Amino acid sequence: MSTIREARPTDCPQILELIHELAVYEKEPDAVKNTVDELEKHLFGADPKVFTHVAEDESGQLVGIAMWFLTYSTWEGRHGIHLEDLYVRDSERGEGTGTALLKTLAQICIDRGYRRMEWAVLDWNAPAIGFYDSIGSSTMDGWSTRRLDGDALQEMAR
């Protein structure tokens, strides 16, 4: 079983490697623009806005990541966690690593009084959907995720 812990600056090269693996898994192998320097700045700079927990095997190799940031519910009047990426190497799936990462984030929610943890999953990712169903998560029927980026974002800013 892996050890779950907060990421450290020295983990950034392995975190980026896992991000690249996730992009390949999600059929977007060329989409990652992130760098080790950007990760270090955003995770460990003066005012971090994104956080990462890692799963580390006994040899010190990272085998999973959970990258997240805070949300805020105007209705609840409380923060929550948005899980941006949960990724476990294929060789470690089914060993409890993903569950351990999610349990860590759930405990952070409880300890800090956050009301929810949310994330998105690709419609075609049946293994992930099955896993998420098995832990009691629910879909947000009636909602769809929207994005403004690229030229549309530039146009909106004008």
Side-chain angles (χ1 to χ4, degrees):
M1 181 68 171
S2 302
T3 300
I4 308 301
R5 61 171 174 78
E6 291 182 15
R8 300 186 285 251
T10 56
D11 295 325
C12 287
Q14 287 189 75
I15 291 170
L16 186 60
E17 182 181 316
L18 290 166
I19 291 169
H20 279 282
E21 286 183 26
L22 174 61
V24 169
Y25 179 81
E26 291 187 347
K27 304 175 184 172
E28 294 282 343
D30 300 321
V32 177
K33 308 286 188 278
N34 210 344
T35 66
V36 169
D37 288 342
E38 287 295 316
L39 281 172
E40 288 174 356
K41 178 173 72 173
H42 292 289
L43 294 174
F44 305 104
D47 188 21
K49 303 279 192 279
V50 62
F51 310 94
T52 301
H53 283 75
V54 298
E56 180 179 51
D57 70 13
E58 54 282 340
S59 72
Q61 177 77 15
L62 298 188
V63 297
I65 56 171
M67 297 189 81
W68 58 279
F69 55 88
L70 291 180
T71 61
Y72 181 77
S73 169
T74 57
W75 291 8
E76 295 279 345
R78 297 286 175 96
H79 283 291
I81 285 178
H82 178 84
L83 177 60
E84 177 66 15
D85 286 328
L86 175 68
Y87 180 72
V88 175
R89 288 182 192 243
D90 189 48
S91 62
E92 299 295 314
R93 292 186 194 138
E95 303 295 319
T97 303
T99 301
L101 285 162
L102 287 176
K103 282 184 178 206
T104 299
L105 297 188
Q107 191 61 56
I108 290 169
C109 286
I110 300 303
D111 292 348
R112 297 180 186 177
Y114 301 162
R115 295 289 172 109
R116 58 177 74 146
M117 180 168 47
E118 298 173 323
W119 62 91
V121 61
L122 291 165
D123 292 341
W124 58 260
N125 194 346
I129 292 168
F131 169 62
Y132 298 144
D133 287 346
S134 77
I135 63 167
S137 73
S138 58
T139 59
M140 294 179 57
D141 294 332
W143 292 82
S144 63
T145 302
R146 303 301 305 237
R147 177 177 290 168
L148 191 61
D149 63 1
D151 291 341
L153 179 64
Q154 293 292 326
E155 184 62 32
M156 179 56 76
R158 283 186 217 137

